[in-house]
């Protein structure tokens, strides 16, 4: 989309003011209209692939753990269309990726034919020549001696299973103004990061090697304007600094005692600073096989000045910094954080970041804010996709505990349905805090299983979720008096619809807020309740000329698509939705 954010905001407010419960829709038939094929699930097979994404024509190696049922077949589908279907023998096999670039596939192992079948395992596959089109971002945040080769391998197997195609190396560096541990000619094997934690050069290198084996991009983290109090010793001039007044009071980010010190801010638009840090990045790239630079900031600093008393425009400085980094290292990738959206317009307008990345906080805590940020990011960047850094169950993050599965899955459902992806999965833990090494909250076994299905779904249906389309409003009515349906934005005690037209497909997402206790994605204290699953829900939807109707859900049959029978009634169709827990996607093909 190329509309500016104001136009998007106005369009959205008009669009979502409509009520999907149209009085002209007539009575919803409540008789059960069975699916085309009766599909049951016995998800006893764990399927994996050897990479996070594949180039067109590349061989894909699949492996399955579990007992393969007699007569099993493997099926490859793009949407609900079967691309290939073949018998399967043994626990591993290969498939040649089709030539269509930037395409997602759902792969399932099943038995049965005709009107009845059973699905035993599913997995998504991304055939994309570049990660930037459909980014799925993860992180690593600890690089000490405890990270043995076996542990690193195990962590990367898990992230690969989630199709994570890029990794942010958080706090891997020695100092912000001198990221490399040592020099090109004399690397230090063991040094300390900003929090005085051990970092081993060999561990950083092994992570990069493992990730490249899976086709992932390795991105080193650093601020665009950070320097410690010893920066002058390393060649950083005070005249490059950011000041809170015209009396030379430095702007700084205070850090806990016991750390190396506070972080003093530097003007990101200062040409001498840009050249200095680009030189330091030369050292990094010469010493490590990083693919690019994940650029961070710390949000709106209010009114700030340069050394000479001129007021600074930090968003303009971000754009200048990005362009300078790209000019120096044109073959390297760039991503920049827009904290609470600060500077996002300038970041996106450079055209030099692979995608948009927004860290969301309490000032944008509503589910509706996720929509607004993703849409604005697309407008700022001429349609690039978004990664949302959203820290879940934040109020519980100071002590050991467990993530609240309903809160996680509802938030992921909303982010994914709206076309974004969630930075949340890393080196052995899920994020609950902006300090990425914080691993206080653990994932239950149920959440670990569910998150795989959610990332399979995000990957398999990326062309419907994240590949353009135009927002619309679904006219949808329920035949169950206990299930109320409303159009976006979400409302408590309802099933909320979010709809798009993608090519010849009408795509309607059903998001279940019937038992939700809040419209905040943060689930701050981890008390979002689990929703009741709705089954066999009679629906009537405005959709004319429908040739095929199908549904899919990460909460049902491992995300495999299920074609539905329907009755066309003028410009409406009547059908039965098999299941809705957190999120079900309806697709009407015309």
């Amino acid at each position: 989309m190329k509309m500016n954010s104001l136009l998007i905001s106005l369009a959205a407010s008009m669009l979502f003011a409509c009520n999907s419960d149209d009085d002209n829709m007539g009575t919803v038939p409540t008789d059960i209209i069975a699916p085309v094929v009766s599909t049951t699930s016995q998800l006893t097979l764990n399927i994996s692939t050897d990479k996070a994404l594949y180039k067109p024509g590349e061989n894909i190696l699949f492996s399955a753990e579990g007992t393969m049922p007699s007569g099993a077949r493997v099926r490859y589908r793009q949407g609900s269309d079967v691309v290939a279907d073949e018998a399967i023998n043994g626990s591993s096999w290969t498939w040649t990726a089709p030539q269509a670039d930037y395409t997602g596939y759902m792969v399932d192992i099943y038995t049965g034919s005709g009107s009845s079948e059973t699905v035993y395992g599913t997995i998504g596959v991304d055939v994309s020549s570049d990660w930037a089109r459909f980014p799925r971002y993860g992180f690593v945040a600890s690089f000490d001696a405890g990270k043995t080769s076996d542990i690193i391998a195990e962590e990367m197997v898990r992230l690969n299973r989630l199709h994570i195609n890029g990794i942010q190396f958080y706090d891997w560096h020695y100092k912000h103004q001198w990221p490399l541990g040592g020099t090109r000619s004399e690397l230090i094997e063991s040094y300390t990061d900003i929090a005085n934690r051990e970092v081993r050069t060999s561990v950083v290198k092994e992570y990069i090697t493992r990730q490249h084996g899976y086709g992932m991009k390795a991105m080193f983290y650093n601020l665009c304007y950070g320097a410690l109090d010893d920066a002058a010793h390393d060649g950083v001039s005070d005249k490059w600094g950011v000041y809170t007044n015209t009396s030379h009071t430095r702007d700084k980010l205070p850090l806990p005692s016991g750390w190396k010190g506070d972080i003093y801010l530097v003007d990101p638009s200062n040409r001498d600073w840009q050249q200095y840090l680009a030189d330091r990045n030369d050292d990094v790239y010469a010493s490590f096989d990083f693919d690019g630079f994940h650029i961070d900031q710390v949000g709106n600093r209010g009114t700030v000045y340069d050394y000479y008393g001129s007021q600074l425009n930090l968003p303009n400085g971000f754009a200048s910094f990005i362009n300078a980094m790209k000019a120096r290292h044109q073959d390297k990738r760039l991503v920049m954080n827009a904290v609470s959206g600060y500077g996002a317009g300038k970041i996106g307008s450079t055209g030099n970041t692979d995608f948009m990345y927004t860290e969301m906080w309490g000032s944008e805590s509503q589910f509706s804010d996720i929509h607004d940020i993703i849409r604005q990011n697309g407008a700022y960047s001429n349609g690039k996709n978004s990664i949302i850094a959203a820290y879940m169950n934040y109020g519980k993050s100071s002590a050991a505990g467990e993530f609240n599965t309903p809160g996680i899955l509802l938030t992921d459902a909303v982010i994914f349905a709206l076309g974004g992806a969630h930075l949340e999965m890393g080196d052995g833990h899920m994020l609950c805090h902006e300090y990425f090494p914080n691993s206080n909250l653990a994932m239950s076994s149920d959440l670990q299983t569910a998150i795989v299905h959610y990332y399979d779904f995000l990957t398999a249906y990326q062309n419907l979720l994240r590949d353009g389309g135009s927002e619309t409003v679904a006219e949808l009515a329920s035949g169950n008096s206990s299930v109320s349906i409303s159009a976006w934005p979400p409302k408590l005690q309802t099933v909320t619809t979010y709809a798009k037209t993608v090519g010849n497909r009408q795509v309607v997402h059903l998001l279940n807020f019937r038992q939700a206790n809040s419209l905040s994605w943060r689930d701050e204290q981890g008390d979002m309740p689990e929703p009741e699953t709705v089954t066999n829900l009679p629906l009537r939807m405005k959709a004319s000329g429908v040739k095929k109707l199908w549904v899919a859900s990460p909460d049902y049959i491992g995300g495999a698509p299920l074609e539905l029978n329907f009755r066309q009634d003028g410009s409406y169709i009547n059908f039965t939705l098999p299941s809705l827990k957190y999120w079900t996607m309806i697709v009407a093909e015309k």
Side-chain angles (χ1 to χ4, degrees):
M1 295 187 298
K2 298 183 179 180
M3 295 187 294
N4 63 35
S5 58
L6 176 60
L7 288 177
I8 285 179
S9 222
L10 289 172
S13 65
M14 295 171 63
L15 188 66
F16 297 129
C18 301
N19 188 339
S20 62
D21 237 342
D22 191 333
D23 291 338
N24 297 320
M25 293 186 71
T27 303
V28 181
T30 57
D31 56 316
I32 300 299
I33 304 173
V36 173
V37 177
S38 175
T39 303
T40 57
S41 64
Q42 295 181 23
L43 298 179
T44 56
L45 296 176
N46 296 317
I47 311 174
S48 60
T49 55
D50 60 332
K51 288 187 178 181
L53 75 170
Y54 297 86
K55 292 179 173 60
E58 191 174 0
N59 278 340
I60 304 170
L61 175 62
F62 293 89
S63 300
E65 294 181 356
T67 302
M68 190 69 65
S70 175
R73 299 185 65 85
V74 59
R75 176 171 47 195
Y76 311 88
R77 289 187 276 197
Q78 205 280 309
S80 71
D81 296 334
V82 177
V83 175
D85 187 319
E86 58 193 9
I88 183 170
N89 294 300
S91 60
S92 63
W93 70 99
T94 60
W95 182 52
T96 302
Q99 289 299 320
D101 205 354
Y102 303 114
T103 306
Y105 298 90
M106 176 59 78
V107 180
D108 66 280
I109 294 174
Y110 74 102
T111 60
S113 60
S115 61
S116 179
E117 61 186 31
T118 300
V119 171
Y120 295 88
T122 60
I123 192 169
V125 170
D126 179 9
V127 177
S128 293
S129 57
D130 192 337
W131 81 310
R133 181 72 165 270
F134 301 116
R136 296 174 297 276
Y137 213 14
F139 69 92
V140 289
S142 296
F143 311 94
D144 56 35
K147 289 298 182 78
T148 64
S149 293
D150 287 346
I151 289 175
I152 291 171
E154 182 182 341
E155 291 173 355
M156 293 306 103
V157 164
R158 287 199 296 267
L159 292 184
N160 180 66
R161 181 58 189 84
L162 298 175
H163 318 288
I164 299 297
N165 54 15
I167 304 290
Q168 178 186 155
F169 281 62
Y170 180 91
D171 276 8
W172 69 282
H173 50 277
Y174 175 48
K175 293 186 286 190
H176 288 79
Q177 79 272 9
W178 195 280
L180 193 66
T183 64
R184 291 196 208 187
S185 59
E186 192 173 348
L187 288 178
I188 303 172
E189 168 53 25
S190 179
Y191 56 92
T192 57
D193 70 1
I194 183 67
N196 281 317
R197 299 181 310 145
E198 181 191 34
V199 176
R200 290 196 171 237
T201 294
S202 58
V203 171
V204 175
K205 288 187 173 183
E206 183 161 358
Y207 267 124
I208 296 171
T209 299
R210 290 278 185 182
Q211 291 159 17
H212 285 169
Y214 289 116
M216 302 170 182
K217 298 296 184 188
M219 305 288 287
F220 75 82
Y221 168 96
N222 198 2
L223 285 165
C224 67
Y225 52 14
L228 303 186
D229 58 9
D230 66 347
H233 175 76
D234 292 328
V236 178
S237 171
D238 287 348
K239 294 181 179 180
W240 305 347
V242 173
Y243 296 85
T244 61
N245 53 41
T246 57
S247 302
H248 290 154
T249 302
R250 285 291 296 269
D251 191 13
K252 67 179 182 179
L253 184 67
L255 294 178
S257 61
W259 289 31
K260 282 187 175 178
D262 299 332
I263 299 175
Y264 293 83
L265 302 191
V266 184
D267 175 9
S269 68
N270 184 283
R271 301 297 182 183
D272 291 329
W273 165 250
Q274 290 173 359
Q275 180 175 330
Y276 172 89
L277 197 62
D279 289 345
R280 303 288 73 74
N281 289 351
D282 279 345
D283 297 337
V284 171
Y285 289 130
S287 305
F288 294 96
D289 194 17
F290 280 118
D291 297 290
F293 179 7
H294 178 100
I295 307 166
D296 199 14
Q297 50 143 314
V298 293
N300 192 337
R301 305 303 293 173
T303 302
V304 291
Y305 304 87
D306 68 10
Y307 180 84
Y308 302 98
S310 296
Q311 188 170 324
L312 289 173
N313 184 314
L314 288 180
N316 284 345
F318 298 158
S320 174
F321 182 88
I322 290 168
N323 291 335
M325 295 304 105
K326 192 65 174 180
R328 174 64 76 90
H329 305 109
Q330 295 185 27
D331 60 329
K332 298 298 184 179
R333 307 305 186 93
L334 296 175
V335 174
M336 184 167 185
N337 183 12
V339 178
S340 295
Y342 184 64
K346 294 298 183 179
I347 293 168
S349 69
T350 66
N352 283 326
T353 58
D354 276 17
F355 48 83
M356 299 296 287
Y357 179 106
T358 302
E359 185 179 56
M360 294 182 66
W361 285 99
S363 57
E364 50 279 342
S365 65
Q366 301 299 292
F367 284 106
S368 57
D369 292 321
I370 297 172
H371 167 273
D372 296 344
I373 283 174
I374 291 174
R375 297 284 80 75
Q376 288 169 1
N377 281 350
Y380 293 146
S381 62
N382 196 26
K384 289 181 180 178
N385 275 316
S386 289
I387 296 290
I388 302 297
Y391 311 123
M392 300 298 302
N393 301 168
Y394 192 79
K396 298 173 60 179
S397 63
S398 61
E402 193 171 88
F403 282 104
N404 179 40
T405 294
I408 303 298
L409 296 184
L410 184 58
T411 294
D412 275 353
V414 171
I415 293 175
F416 295 176
L418 293 174
H422 191 183
L423 177 75
E424 58 183 339
M425 298 304 301
D427 52 349
H429 68 279
M430 175 180 269
L431 277 183
C432 61
H433 196 271
E434 73 274 18
Y435 184 58
F436 287 15
N438 184 325
S439 59
N440 284 339
L441 300 187
M443 300 173 70
S444 68
S445 59
D446 286 347
L447 178 55
Q448 291 181 48
T449 298
I451 210 75
V452 170
H453 295 316
Y454 271 69
Y455 278 78
D456 280 340
F457 199 89
L458 176 67
T459 302
Y461 301 112
Q462 59 193 15
N463 300 103
L464 296 176
L465 299 173
R466 312 179 74 192
D467 202 11
S470 57
E471 290 183 337
T472 184
V473 172
E475 295 187 34
L476 196 68
S478 164
N480 183 335
S481 60
S482 68
V483 179
S484 176
I485 297 177
S486 66
W488 186 270
K491 298 179 182 65
L492 294 179
Q493 300 177 344
T494 73
V495 171
T496 295
T497 65
Y498 173 73
K500 289 199 306 184
T501 299
V502 183
N504 70 334
R505 294 171 173 177
Q506 183 176 340
V507 182
V508 181
H509 300 281
L510 303 183
L511 297 159
N512 190 358
F513 287 88
R514 295 177 67 235
Q515 281 77 42
N517 60 9
S518 169
L519 293 177
S520 170
W521 55 263
R522 289 165 67 88
D523 190 22
E524 188 92 12
Q525 300 302 324
D527 56 6
M528 181 69 72
E530 182 176 358
E532 295 176 2
T533 301
V534 180
T535 59
N536 295 325
L537 176 64
L539 293 174
R540 181 174 174 87
M541 185 170 79
K542 188 170 185 179
S544 56
V546 176
K547 294 183 178 179
K548 181 195 286 189
L549 181 72
W550 57 277
V551 296
S553 170
D555 310 310
Y556 186 64
I557 318 180
L562 183 63
E563 188 175 346
L564 302 183
N565 283 309
F566 62 93
R567 287 199 299 266
Q568 188 81 52
D569 180 12
S571 57
Y572 297 89
I573 57 172
N574 302 306
F575 61 98
T576 301
L577 189 77
S579 180
L580 168 64
K581 187 168 187 182
Y582 295 96
W583 171 28
T584 296
M585 179 177 69
I586 303 168
V587 182
E589 300 188 8
K590 300 183 178 182

